[in-house]
Amino acid sequence: MRLVWLPVLASSILALTLVQGRASGGLQCTAEDDFAVVTIESGVTRGMGGPVFNFRATSVIRDEKVAGDLRDMAFDGEHLAQYWLDGEELRLLLYRERAEGTHGYVQIEVRTTAGEEGLYGGTYDLTVFDMTGDATGEGRTFKGAGPVECFVE
């Protein structure tokens, strides 16, 4: 009797695996130029607005005038302020403040449009604001922009 259920159980597990495999995908974006290196990775679910999961990103700013804690920044899901993926566009807004001390933040905006299947191209804008070491009390702002490529599956 037990052997009769084994093929049914195996088929059910395979079907669930295939359905779950289609229920999620991922996205990856990279940008590298003279100002910064930006990498973004995340899982993306299909349907229900396409929420992201396991989001992580890094920015490494090459300008040594930027304070070290802001120059090399890691982001996770709580730092994804806005996200848009509709098949035609992928847009991301990342924002993270300095953990301690004077006010400072890194903001990355990614704006892309769909090209070939799964490929998105566009631009990134990165802004760093830092109050550290500014004699005027106004803070210093550093900005960079350049091309970004993303892949969405």
Side-chain angles (χ1 to χ4, degrees):
M1 221 25 156
R2 290 184 191 185
L3 293 178
V4 172
W5 289 102
L6 188 57
V8 173
L9 180 61
S11 296
S12 298
I13 291 172
L14 178 60
L16 282 172
T17 303
L18 292 174
V19 168
Q20 287 176 345
R22 288 186 206 151
S24 63
L27 70 86
Q28 181 176 14
C29 298
T30 56
E32 183 171 356
D33 56 27
D34 292 340
F35 183 72
V37 177
V38 176
T39 60
I40 301 169
E41 297 177 337
S42 182
V44 179
T45 61
R46 302 213 193 307
M48 298 299 292
V52 298
F53 59 92
N54 293 334
F55 182 88
R56 61 193 171 278
T58 60
S59 64
V60 178
I61 300 165
R62 294 183 163 153
D63 187 341
E64 293 191 11
K65 295 176 191 168
V66 176
D69 64 329
L70 298 174
R71 192 172 41 219
D72 191 1
M73 186 68 77
F75 301 82
D76 61 29
E78 74 179 88
H79 305 116
L80 181 59
Q82 293 181 8
Y83 159 74
W84 176 268
L85 175 61
D86 69 357
E88 298 297 320
E89 290 182 295
L90 168 63
R91 292 182 177 220
L92 304 166
L93 179 63
L94 288 70
Y95 178 85
R96 180 162 185 193
E97 292 185 357
R98 170 181 277 134
E100 297 177 356
T102 59
H103 180 63
Y105 66 83
V106 176
Q107 178 176 298
I108 303 169
E109 184 177 348
V110 173
R111 293 180 312 278
T112 66
T113 55
E116 295 179 29
E117 187 173 329
L119 298 177
Y120 289 72
T123 59
Y124 83 93
D125 290 302
L126 192 151
T127 303
V128 179
F129 176 78
D130 188 4
M131 288 296 292
T132 304
D134 181 49
T136 66
E138 304 261 333
R140 298 184 309 172
T141 302
F142 302 87
K143 292 187 178 224
V148 64
E149 293 181 345
C150 299
F151 176 73
V152 179
E153 59 178 342

